[in-house]
Amino acid sequence: MQGFRHSAALLSLTAAVLLITGLSLAVFWAPEDADQGISQKIFYVHVPVALTSYAAFFWAAWKALRLLWKGGSRYDLESYTAVHMGVIFGALTLVTGSIWAKVSWGHWWVWSERQLTLFLILFLFYSAYFMLRYSTDPGPRRERTSAVYAIFGVVLIPVSFLAIRLAEGLIHPVVFKRDGPDMEGSMFLTFCVCLAAMLALAGSLYLLELSGKRADASLRELRERLA
Amino acid sequence: MTGYVADVAALARKDLLVELRTRDTVPAMLLFVVAALVVFHFALPAESARFAASGMLWIALLFTALLALVRAFVGERDHGTLDGLILAPCDRSAIWLGKTLSVLAFLLFAEAVALPAFALFYEDVTWELVAGVALANIGIATVGTLLGAMAAAARARELLLPLLFLPLAIPLVVGGVGATVSDDPGRYLAFLALYDLIFAVLAWASFEYVVTE
Amino acid sequence: MTGYVADVAALARKDLLVELRTRDTVPAMLLFVVAALVVFHFALPAESARFAASGMLWIALLFTALLALVRAFVGERDHGTLDGLILAPCDRSAIWLGKTLSVLAFLLFAEAVALPAFALFYEDVTWELVAGVALANIGIATVGTLLGAMAAAARARELLLPLLFLPLAIPLVVGGVGATVSDDPGRYLAFLALYDLIFAVLAWASFEYVVTE
Amino acid sequence: MRIISARGLGRRFGGRPVLSGVDLDLDQGGFLLVTGPNGSGKTTLLRLLAGLLAPTSGSLEVVADRNRVGFLGHESLLYGELTALENLDLYGRLYRVPERRERTGMLLERFGLWEARNERAATYSKGMLQRLALCRTLLHDPELLLMDEPFSALDAEGVDLLHAELADHGPRTVVVASHQPERIAGLATERVALG
Amino acid sequence: MRIISARGLGRRFGGRPVLSGVDLDLDQGGFLLVTGPNGSGKTTLLRLLAGLLAPTSGSLEVVADRNRVGFLGHESLLYGELTALENLDLYGRLYRVPERRERTGMLLERFGLWEARNERAATYSKGMLQRLALCRTLLHDPELLLMDEPFSALDAEGVDLLHAELADHGPRTVVVASHQPERIAGLATERVALG
Ligand code: HEM
Ligand SMILES: Nc1ncnc2c1ncn2[C@@H]1O[C@H](COP(=O)(O)OP(=O)(O)OP(=O)(O)O)[C@@H](O)[C@H]1O
Ligand SMILES: Nc1ncnc2c1ncn2[C@@H]1O[C@H](COP(=O)(O)OP(=O)(O)OP(=O)(O)O)[C@@H](O)[C@H]1O
Ligand SMILES: [Mg+2]
Ligand SMILES: [Mg+2]
């Protein structure tokens, strides 16, 4: 437990450092984007956040798999916390993305963006995950159900992505083309630092929430021992 | 193997028998489909694209299916019969498959009414549409049954199931609509088949975990 | 009289309590509506969406209504609680009114979420639409509750009740959609109001005979 | 004063006669024990007396207005999604029970459910549910008490509690259907054996 | 041969411990009587043994494959909309009972339900339903029998029938939870008192 706390503190420290460097790099060092101008800077927050939430969802599924494999409530707790992180960062993606959309296209929301729609679907899906948890009595049954649902989530990601691909051009043509990863070195470096920062941030938040939840659990058990 | 098939058959048969007695599900589905078609008839302007029409049809089918799924496990809760099935020596996935098949049967029944009605009100039914519906049915039934079993363990099931189901159903709608309106339906039908395959396997493999502790 | 009101209040309160027992009914509603809208988006192209929009709205509302009715009486069948209410000294029509009000509350609640979202994603909500929805709600709740009670009183099973609901519900849908799309909604709204009046009185008067022997 | 009087009472379900030619007379304060093998019609008889079923033949007269009748059936008539308190509160309102809260608390106390008062009835054990159903039945202090196998699922303590409740019924008229007549040996003043 | 062995077995529902530290050993042919007041965890224990619930603490080992276990719970586990025959037929298929028809008929005969074999279970009286549930439990001639208050709702004849069934259980291992230990006085070889 002590070592656990320790690593959590360490990670959050790294997160802070990385975050500061990454953002300052983005603001002061990385060159301004040719066609999008200053608004492109949000890219350094937006995309790392998005990718981080993906990572969280996959982590949740991995833990869920372990639960079904081995059993044991600790995996349930971890999987749940990971989903929680994923949803938090997903919301951040939606917000930053919407802001970006507003500044660069003038709309808060555009259906024609793959990522957007995909994210909306995932967001709905994982919100339902919370519904499922809250309306089921805690216990082994709930742990397993949540685990299965979390695994469905990561399968849904590629499937929905494919679906949206197909839907495009059918529903309406892609209006905006944007050049993705092919950016110049300094941009890319900055991006990588920001990504690392976001991952570290998510990781430390994950560990903090987890330790909090575990503390509650052990406290409850203690109370019952005494009672 | 033959034993597995026999189990599935026995379980599906049971559901159909129960429905035959109670007539709980199918009439509700019929009501909904027909009502939906009537709504379209009024809502859609005469010159509306076939695109819109078929889109409407798909929405109607999706929600009709949801009605069936919501009720699929209500009966099982009555006298703890789901426990009875779980205790039985049959493979748990057989329970899932049996349910899936019975849900599929209800869907086919509703569609046997819906599609002709659709042809009557709007435009004739193409083979692509039929193929798309057939494939989508499988996806709906497989995923829906699993989620239904999940929701059965929760409070407010009737409300929860649609929430769990809709996000997973979006790809089906995309594929189905695409198959009906696009120029080369092949891609969409293939996509639907893929979806069915993936989620059928997934649901088949994971059902045991959601019904047992 | 005040006693009657108190009974109705107690009964409606009970249903809402059960409803809200899972505290997340509100977010659930929100999620459901948004999910439905996303589905609609994928089912329909942007341009035809504008025509079809109100139609889709009505489908969604009808579906929600059916869900509400399923919920309303599945619960009562569970431990013979309907008997408990019938044995209670309160006037039987109070049971019907309480149920109707709670169903109505559920619907209004769903619409309070759905209509703004609808306005946001599609066209703005006209007063005709609101009026039509409001009137349709009443009809659905009154008739649906009566039929639901029949179904719950097991002996009425043979009557194929949900099917009864079909001819009764279609006029509502027609009226509602008509009110939203036609040029002079007045006629449709008047029709809806008339429908509500007739069936409310009918259901109110006949409920006692439906639930007792 | 005559509370229940039945003449040639009969009930058929879908053509099949379940009860026929039952004659009954029960005065105020009387205690009727109904016995009979499984499927002999005890529950049917009690549901007839409660007015949940209508006779298909013969005549039945029960002199008691609805808000003074307490019925305990095979089913609890309770809402699984509501807590014990909420369930009793609902029935308390419908029966216009004076000092609802006090009486509810008192009953829950007596039947040993006070600790679990805020648990959903669905999570109750069978015996706890039976106890709660008893609270529901006695909540409005009925003059006419109709009980169908009231002892089922109760533990020894529960049996004693109920026995005590039935023993000092005073002016209250009681009808009990049971497979274990010995449990209310001394109490019954009348007996009907069906089937 | 050891059929059931539990060490420090415990189960909690939503944090609340319902069972804790239960130690059990039952050999083949043994007869375990589980007693305890309402809400003490008898049903929970039997559901744990049947595998319907998972322990939240301790270890539990039950040596019996699923198709040789018979479980009788508070609920009938029967489909109300199916007739007695259809219900038993379904379970007979699932359990691969040899000569399904004969055995079904024999059991219905023995428990006095043959006349009502084509009635929907929903129309059964409580005791008839309990008898039918007994048929369901015994249908596949289980080696391990788990029964939760098997005598409830049964009339005198039904009690004797069940008692006879339990008396000559031979190599069969039996676990019974009941509030009326006297009813299986002679039979029990072991006892567990919960709560
Ligand atoms: C609500 C609005 C938005 C959401 C939910 C959203 C979501 C996402 C997500 C999930 C990713 C991860 C991409 C991946 O995994 O490859 C992403 C990447 C990206 N987004 Fe957004 N986005 C939004 C708005 C925008 C806007 C308005 C822009 C630009 C004008 C934008 C530009 C990008 C870029 C350049 C990437 C890099 C990865 C790629 O090119 O695919 N996004 N977005
Ligand atoms: N699903 C559940 N959720 C929460 N609590 C539960 C659940 N099931 C049982 N309990 C609680 O566990 C305790 C034991 O229940 P159980 O049914 O095992 O008791 P029991 O010994 O069978 O009682 P009875 O003699 O009345 O049948 C009770 O307090 C009950 O409230
Ligand atoms: N709704 C119904 N439809 C058809 N038959 C019914 C119905 N209700 C009861 N019966 C039949 O009536 C007979 C008597 O049922 P009842 O429940 O009154 O018996 P009981 O004396 O209460 O039996 P038990 O001791 O098992 O409770 C049974 O044969 C039953 O099958
Ligand atoms: Mg009875
Ligand atoms: Mg029990």
Coordinates of all heavy atoms in Angstrom, one line a residue, chain A residues 137-141 220-221 224, chain E residues 11-12 14-17 54 56:
Chain A
D137 N -27.2 -4.2 -8.0 CA -26.7 -4.3 -6.7 C -25.3 -4.8 -6.7 O -24.9 -5.7 -7.5 CB -27.6 -5.3 -5.8 CG -29.0 -4.8 -5.7 OD1 -29.1 -3.6 -5.6 OD2 -29.9 -5.7 -5.6
P138 N -24.4 -4.2 -5.9 CA -23.0 -4.6 -5.9 C -22.9 -6.1 -5.6 O -23.7 -6.6 -4.9 CB -22.4 -3.7 -4.8 CG -23.5 -3.2 -4.0 CD -24.7 -3.1 -4.9
G139 N -21.8 -6.7 -6.1 CA -21.6 -8.1 -5.9 C -21.0 -8.8 -7.1 O -20.8 -8.1 -8.1
P140 N -20.7 -10.1 -7.0 CA -20.0 -10.7 -8.1 C -20.8 -10.6 -9.5 O -20.1 -10.4 -10.5 CB -20.0 -12.2 -7.7 CG -20.2 -12.2 -6.2 CD -21.0 -11.0 -5.9
R141 N -22.1 -10.6 -9.4 CA -22.9 -10.5 -10.6 C -22.6 -9.2 -11.3 O -22.2 -9.2 -12.5 CB -24.4 -10.6 -10.3 CG -25.3 -10.7 -11.5 CD -24.9 -11.8 -12.3 NE -25.9 -12.5 -13.0 CZ -27.2 -12.7 -12.7 NH1 -27.7 -12.2 -11.7 NH2 -28.0 -13.5 -13.4
R220 N -14.4 -0.3 5.4 CA -15.6 -0.9 5.6 C -15.4 -2.3 6.2 O -16.0 -2.6 7.2 CB -16.4 -1.1 4.3 CG -17.9 -1.0 4.5 CD -18.7 -1.3 3.3 NE -18.3 -0.9 2.0 CZ -17.7 -1.8 1.1 NH1 -17.6 -3.1 1.5 NH2 -17.4 -1.4 -0.1
E221 N -14.5 -3.0 5.7 CA -14.2 -4.4 6.2 C -13.8 -4.3 7.7 O -14.3 -5.0 8.5 CB -13.1 -5.0 5.4 CG -13.6 -5.6 4.1 CD -12.5 -6.5 3.5 OE1 -11.6 -7.0 4.2 OE2 -12.6 -6.7 2.3
E224 N -16.7 -3.8 9.8 CA -17.5 -5.0 10.0 C -16.8 -6.0 11.0 O -17.4 -6.6 11.8 CB -17.7 -5.7 8.7 CG -18.9 -5.1 7.9 CD -18.8 -5.3 6.4 OE1 -18.0 -6.1 6.0 OE2 -19.5 -4.6 5.7
Chain E
R11 N -20.7 -14.7 2.7 CA -21.4 -14.0 1.6 C -21.9 -12.7 2.1 O -22.5 -12.6 3.1 CB -22.5 -14.8 1.0 CG -23.4 -14.1 0.0 CD -22.7 -13.9 -1.3 NE -23.5 -12.9 -2.1 CZ -23.3 -12.8 -3.4 NH1 -22.5 -13.6 -4.1 NH2 -24.0 -11.9 -4.1
R12 N -21.6 -11.6 1.3 CA -22.1 -10.3 1.7 C -23.0 -9.8 0.5 O -22.7 -10.1 -0.6 CB -21.0 -9.4 1.9 CG -19.9 -9.3 0.9 CD -18.8 -8.3 1.1 NE -18.0 -8.7 2.2 CZ -18.0 -8.0 3.4 NH1 -18.7 -7.0 3.6 NH2 -17.2 -8.4 4.4
G14 N -24.0 -6.3 -1.0 CA -23.8 -4.9 -1.0 C -23.2 -4.4 0.3 O -23.6 -3.6 1.0
G15 N -22.1 -5.1 0.6 CA -21.3 -4.7 1.8 C -21.8 -5.4 3.1 O -21.0 -5.6 4.0
R16 N -23.1 -5.7 3.1 CA -23.6 -6.3 4.4 C -23.4 -7.8 4.4 O -23.8 -8.5 3.6 CB -25.1 -6.0 4.5 CG -25.7 -6.1 5.9 CD -27.0 -5.4 6.0 NE -28.0 -5.9 5.1 CZ -28.6 -7.1 5.3 NH1 -28.4 -7.7 6.4 NH2 -29.5 -7.5 4.4
P17 N -22.6 -8.2 5.4 CA -22.3 -9.7 5.5 C -23.6 -10.4 6.0 O -24.3 -10.0 6.9 CB -21.3 -9.7 6.6 CG -21.5 -8.5 7.4 CD -22.0 -7.5 6.5
A54 N -22.0 -16.9 -5.6 CA -20.6 -17.1 -5.4 C -20.3 -16.6 -4.0 O -20.8 -15.6 -3.6 CB -19.8 -16.4 -6.5
T56 N -18.3 -14.7 -1.2 CA -17.5 -13.5 -1.2 C -16.3 -13.6 -0.3 O -15.4 -12.8 -0.2 CB -18.3 -12.2 -0.8 OG1 -19.0 -12.5 0.4 CG2 -19.2 -11.8 -1.9

